[in-house]
Amino acid sequence: MKNATILLLYTDRYYLIKQVYPFGLDLIADDLRQHGHRVTIEYPFLPDPDPELNLLKILKETRPNVIGLGIRNLDTCLSCEPYGDYVGNDFRTFYFLPEIRRIVDVVKTHSPEIPVIAGGGGFTISPQAMLNDLGLEYGVTGEGEEPLLEFVDVFPDREKIRGISGLAYRDGGGVRVNPRKAYSFREGAFSNGREGRFQFAFETTGLPVQVKRGCNQRCSYCVEPIIERGNIVFREMDRVIEELKTLSQSDDGIRKVFFVDTEFNLPDLAYCTRLIERMIQEGLHERFGFASQFLPKPFDSEFAGILAEAGFSVILTCDSFSDTVLRRNYASYRRRDIRNTLEICEQKGLPCTLSMIFGLPGETYDTVNDSIDQMKRYGPGPLRRYEYTVGGRIYSGTRLCRMIEEKEGLEHVYGTLSEGYLAPCYFCAPESPFRLKQYIEERLGYAIAYDNRYDPAAQRSLALAYLTDQGRWEDVVSLFMESSVSSRLAIYDYLFRRLTGAGRAADARIISENLLAVLAADPGGDDREWMSLIQFYLSCLRE
């Protein structure tokens, strides 16, 4: 198809809680546009709470020739979600596949003639099972730019389609998955800027930048080597710096950059050290704060020093303090490495969040207690905090999955061993996720809060941001007037800035005066501060 109209659907419902921008879909859209195709990225869970209403409107307005489904995650991986929508035997989580299935059903019902092709990290983990579960004919494993472009170019020639690298497709009664090509970074990515429909995510969660692909680690539970593969491929450093400099000249509201590499300090410190030095030389640390995930090893004092100078925050992958558990799960670091990195971060004043997992293979009460003792020794404070999950999610193709398939540790499995391990299923030792979490909290003396509920007021605020990022100004003003005070307050600052930035001063005045009048009618505790802020914003419009 030449000059095709392509609709890419971002199917991650968790965006309603944590606004992670669809980085992979944007790469694909950028590539397709450079080859002459018209591409729209849409989020079917906004602005209306009913995704079917949103989707029908999207299909009517875009009239696509091809639809791509971006499946980022199957679930949250977390087994103790207090507000989760999937309840198992002593665990609870958010499970996204039923909603994705609903999206597919709506598309097939109302636009059965349009080819639908799935992809993304969640799809790549279990392509055969995903095609069967969703009732689709095509999917792409791994990097989607080249395969989807080729699919659009050759459709509906089935013989040519079946020759596309990385394609999963139905063949007779089964599913075939073609081998993937080696990944290489494409020159000129994002030459036309980022996807504006998710601008709000850049300000809340951060703007993602990628410097390499691949993961050479062997952690028992992790799917990253399946999705990214083991060979590490770097971008040209000049391209990374050029992208950051371009971003620094864009929206002033974007203050955070998150490097989305699997682990920033792999395979060694050479590339990342030179990159950060270049960033400092260019003054980019004066424009942005930076964050990424790191392993405790390799890490040294000199490296920590330049991280601190550049304004980095470190998210430290630290599955356990117990060498027994680390060894059993093929971690490349040990307790001494974790402690060394924590002490270096403290010396350099480097903010550090430790990300831990309790309940992996090899975990016992002794190893749990050992980790808790170390967490107390290196306690939380102004520059150190902890996050932990309970139980290892079992995904197809991982070492943990192979262990279960060999009938080892079945007594510690919680959930359903479904085809392709699509349904939430956890390994958790020495007892169930809920009971282990309670034990940890009692010994630790505090709990890690997971306030991950779907809040209607927050969803309405996101709907307003989403409409704003699409430039649907009349809809924005109308929906703002109909929203609750809490929804309006949560998004007011963002709307005001975007409206005035787009030359919509009259609309900015309307929402400001409306909100001011509502607050003045019955002022409460914080309302007077809000009223002062709104009056200040209105005064800016008069200048």
Side-chain angles (χ1 to χ4, degrees), residues 416-427:
T416 304
L417 296 175
S418 60
E419 179 192 3
Y421 297 84
L422 298 184
C425 188
Y426 300 86
F427 181 97

Side-chain angles (χ1 to χ4, degrees), residues 280-349:
I280 294 171
Q281 290 170 7
E282 297 288 348
L284 292 164
H285 62 308
E286 298 172 357
R287 173 67 170 81
F288 297 116
F290 301 99
S292 192
Q293 294 182 193
F294 295 76
L295 286 180
K297 173 186 174 183
F299 206 96
D300 60 30
S301 181
E302 182 180 358
F303 181 58
I306 65 167
L307 288 174
E309 184 180 354
F312 261 80
S313 294
V314 169
I315 302 172
L316 194 66
T317 298
C318 168
D319 295 340
S320 173
F321 278 96
S322 167
D323 283 348
T324 300
V325 175
L326 294 173
R327 190 178 301 110
R328 178 70 178 81
N329 291 279
Y330 300 91
S332 62
Y333 54 90
R334 295 293 181 263
R335 179 205 300 236
R336 63 179 179 275
D337 302 310
I338 301 170
R339 291 171 57 168
N340 178 63
T341 296
L342 291 179
E343 289 167 3
I344 289 173
C345 287
E346 187 168 7
Q347 292 167 6
K348 298 296 182 179

Side-chain angles (χ1 to χ4, degrees), residues 46 61 87 102 159 172 201 221 224 232 239 276 279 287 330 338 384-385 391 394 455 470-471 541-542:
L46 290 174
E61 291 180 349
V87 180
R102 182 184 175 195
E159 288 304 313
Y221 58 88
E224 291 299 332
I232 295 178
R239 297 291 181 183
I276 300 169
M279 288 160 50
R287 173 67 170 81
Y330 300 91
I338 301 170
R384 184 187 301 134
R385 59 188 294 267
I394 304 170
D455 181 356
Q470 295 183 57
L541 294 177
R542 291 192 289 270

Side-chain angles (χ1 to χ4, degrees), residues 490-539:
I491 202 64
Y492 168 72
D493 178 78
Y494 183 75
L495 297 191
F496 186 91
R497 287 187 288 107
R498 294 303 306 279
L499 285 166
T500 53
R504 311 280 302 191
D507 288 335
R509 181 180 301 279
I510 289 172
I511 68 166
S512 299
E513 292 177 345
N514 168 267
L515 184 55
L516 187 61
V518 171
L519 294 176
D522 186 22
D526 296 331
D527 291 347
R528 297 190 185 282
E529 292 184 17
W530 272 108
M531 291 168 66
S532 296
L533 176 66
I534 296 167
Q535 288 167 343
F536 170 74
Y537 277 14
L538 282 169
S539 70

Side-chain angles (χ1 to χ4, degrees), residues 238-313:
D238 287 345
R239 297 291 181 183
V240 179
I241 296 298
E242 180 183 339
E243 181 180 357
L244 289 170
K245 290 172 69 173
T246 300
L247 293 170
S248 72
Q249 299 164 9
S250 63
D251 191 336
D252 287 341
I254 303 172
R255 308 301 301 178
K256 297 180 289 185
V257 169
F258 191 91
F259 290 105
V260 295
D261 305 18
T262 304
E263 305 287 351
F264 191 71
N265 56 334
L266 289 181
D268 54 46
L269 300 182
Y271 179 96
C272 53
T273 297
R274 293 199 307 274
L275 176 62
I276 300 169
E277 289 172 344
R278 287 280 307 277
M279 288 160 50
I280 294 171
Q281 290 170 7
E282 297 288 348
L284 292 164
H285 62 308
E286 298 172 357
R287 173 67 170 81
F288 297 116
F290 301 99
S292 192
Q293 294 182 193
F294 295 76
L295 286 180
K297 173 186 174 183
F299 206 96
D300 60 30
S301 181
E302 182 180 358
F303 181 58
I306 65 167
L307 288 174
E309 184 180 354
F312 261 80
S313 294

Side-chain angles (χ1 to χ4, degrees), residues 13 23 43 59 118 121 151 167 169 200 215 224 291 314 336 347 393 408 444 476 491 501 509 517:
R13 187 167 179 260
F23 183 72
Y43 185 63
L59 292 171
F151 180 89
L167 189 78
Y169 61 93
F200 184 67
C215 179
E224 291 299 332
V314 169
R336 63 179 179 275
Q347 292 167 6
R393 172 59 158 95
E408 182 182 352
L444 196 58
V476 169
I491 202 64
R509 181 180 301 279

